[in-house]
Amino acid sequence: MSTARFPNPSAPISLQEPIQVLLLENIHASAEKLLAAEGFVVERLAGALKPQELAERLRGVHLLGIRSKTTVPEEALAHAGGLLAIGAFCIGTNQIDLPASNRHGIPCFNAPFSNTRSVAEMVIAEIIVLTRQLFDRSREVHTGQWRKVATGSHEVRGKTLGIIGYGHIGSQLGVLAESLGMRVIYYDTMTKLPLGNSRSAASLGELLAESDFVTLHVPATASTHMMMGTAEFAQMKKGACLINASRGTVVDIGALAQALRSKHLGGAAVDVYPEEPETNSDGFLTELQNLPNVVLTPHIGGSTEEAQESIGREVATSLIKFVRSGATTGAVNFPQVEAPLIPGTHRILNVHRNIPGVLRDINRIVSDLNANIHAQVLSTDANIGYLVMDLDQDVSAPVCDAIAGLNSDIKTRIVS
Ligand SMILES: NC(=O)C1=CN([C@@H]2O[C@H](COP(=O)(O)OP(=O)(O)OC[C@H]3O[C@@H](n4cnc5c(N)ncnc54)[C@H](O)[C@@H]3O)[C@@H](O)[C@H]2O)C=CC1
Ligand SMILES: O=C(O)C(=O)COP(=O)(O)O
């Protein structure tokens, strides 16, 4: 059994209790199954929590699981002295204050590829739906109108798809689009290997001017904030379509609505919005509602059974490995360490402020207790150091007590 000591005096929590897990936003049951099999106590909620409510619910919680909707600000982390790790059961981690989480010694894990294919397939569907105006025709027939028209409908074969953000999703989408006979160009701030016959556009402007469909696959960052606005829509071809399944902050919705109303753009498919409801029972309003040839979906790009089941397993596995061995491989905000557990040794994990002399202080503590260090791995970033230390004698409790007394200490925990 493990014991933990935390610097936050308001919430000292011992890992001698079962590990408490809070899973929000309808995380797939595959996660609960794995976590429960470890003896962890899992509470699963359907919706997201607002920051204040989250801060209250985090008391006594060791592992938090969220998806894209739960914002995790520093204030929530500051009250969560017992929180060991956060699992983002999705790709994006912009909803978490990652630097604050790092400073509090809390690694965040995500699932970087598990829903990639699902998003790419949805975008392919949307390209065809938009160019054939299928949703509008379908709505008409549902309401008894028979409007058999070819005007404005096109094949996708030979058309140009412009992909902004040629990462995992963008590049996978490019491959699928080429198999339909589309010409693929992309714009990325990093140099990327062009797959198939795709090619990199010299600038965002060039991509916008050449594409029949522009699709966004960038993360939410300062550089992507509102990257598509009035000026960018004006650079797009008349009749071209915009697809956004990245983040709502990337597109100026008002400017998009205007470009659609003026008929400069021929259509749009939007999956993500600047403000999204916390639960499925909340209502939703956007300026894009009821515009012709506009497909609106409720942030479902990654919502397939295949993706959700796989994400549940992937992130739960990372959390379990972290609890059981301290492995931080794949954590998006943390120094990476993964060291095999050595039978007969006693493992201590320590997160400390990255200041001079910490290792010297810790090694002196161990040596004063006449223990031997069997293995020691330290990985650091600008703010913190993460130390995994295996001792050949069971002096973990006094070592932990002494380390917790150092002014460098952020979090110290005994694994075995
Ligand atoms: N609608 C949905 O349900 C889903 C949405 N997403 C969103 O899609 C985003 C992309 O996912 P991945 O492809 O896995 O990420 P990725 O990290 O593999 O690719 C993102 C690409 O964008 C590029 N990029 C960053 N800033 C840029 C800029 N200013 N201009 C041009 N390119 C820029 C990066 O260099 C990178 O190549 C995620 O961050 C997430 O926000 C992801 C999964 C599901
Ligand atoms: O993976 C992502 O980044 C997504 O946007 C999917 O989010 P979700 O899990 O559907 O809340």
Side-chain angles (χ1 to χ4, degrees), residues 299-334:
H299 199 147
I300 50 164
S303 293
T304 62
E305 293 190 16
E306 290 85 351
Q308 294 305 312
E309 203 267 341
S310 165
I311 290 172
R313 274 189 285 108
E314 184 178 347
V315 181
T317 302
S318 299
L319 293 172
I320 291 165
K321 274 176 74 179
F322 177 66
V323 169
R324 294 296 183 218
S325 74
T328 52
T329 311
V332 297
N333 65 336
F334 224 71

Side-chain angles (χ1 to χ4, degrees), residues 20-36 40-49 54 57-58 61-67 70 85-89 311-313 315-316 319:
Q20 304 288 331
V21 187
L22 177 63
L23 299 181
L24 305 178
E25 301 187 58
N26 226 359
I27 287 168
H28 196 274
S30 59
E32 180 174 11
K33 198 171 159 197
L34 286 178
L35 293 161
F40 300 176
V41 176
V42 182
E43 185 182 7
R44 216 161 127 234
L45 303 184
L49 293 176
L54 177 68
R57 293 296 286 258
L58 279 180
V61 166
H62 300 106
L63 301 175
L64 170 68
I66 59 166
R67 288 173 62 183
T70 305
I86 299 174
F89 286 72
I311 290 172
R313 274 189 285 108
V315 181
L319 293 172

Side-chain angles (χ1 to χ4, degrees), residues 25 67-69 89-92 115 246-247 299 302-303 308:
E25 301 187 58
R67 288 173 62 183
S68 64
K69 223 66 72 219
F89 286 72
C90 53
I91 292 178
N115 64 22
S246 63
R247 281 292 179 266
H299 199 147
S303 293
Q308 294 305 312

